[in-house]
Amino acid sequence: GITQRPTGRKGLEHNVRFFVRVHDSADDPNMIGLELECEVIDLSSKGMQFSTNSDLSTGTLLNITIGVG
């Protein structure tokens, strides 16, 4: 479920996990094609912040697929 935060943003009460696939990485071409597990930290109408155990360079392009239900 979603709860209201004092800042007006909506927070997640549950852990939301999903996978991303590295589409392109100029700094580390060996990452291309890897699938990484991620966890949502913050979700709003403006975007999503997430974490993963792998280091991602700035500019790395990701394919993100989120299944609901």
Side-chain angles (χ1 to χ4, degrees):
I2 296 181
T3 58
Q4 187 72 29
R5 292 186 183 170
T7 60
R9 299 189 73 172
K10 303 263 183 193
L12 298 174
E13 288 181 1
H14 303 285
N15 289 336
V16 177
R17 295 184 180 276
F18 62 98
F19 290 89
V20 299
R21 185 177 302 274
V22 178
H23 179 73
D24 191 23
S25 177
D27 290 343
D28 191 357
N30 292 327
M31 294 281 292
I32 296 171
L34 289 181
E35 193 169 90
L36 308 172
E37 183 178 6
C38 302
E39 182 177 358
V40 173
I41 296 171
D42 189 39
L43 182 64
S44 73
S45 62
K46 303 286 183 184
M48 176 177 63
Q49 181 181 12
F50 65 90
S51 68
T52 183
N53 290 333
S54 297
D55 292 331
L56 296 173
S57 302
T58 300
T60 298
L61 299 178
L62 303 172
N63 292 328
I64 301 173
T65 302
I66 300 174
V68 178

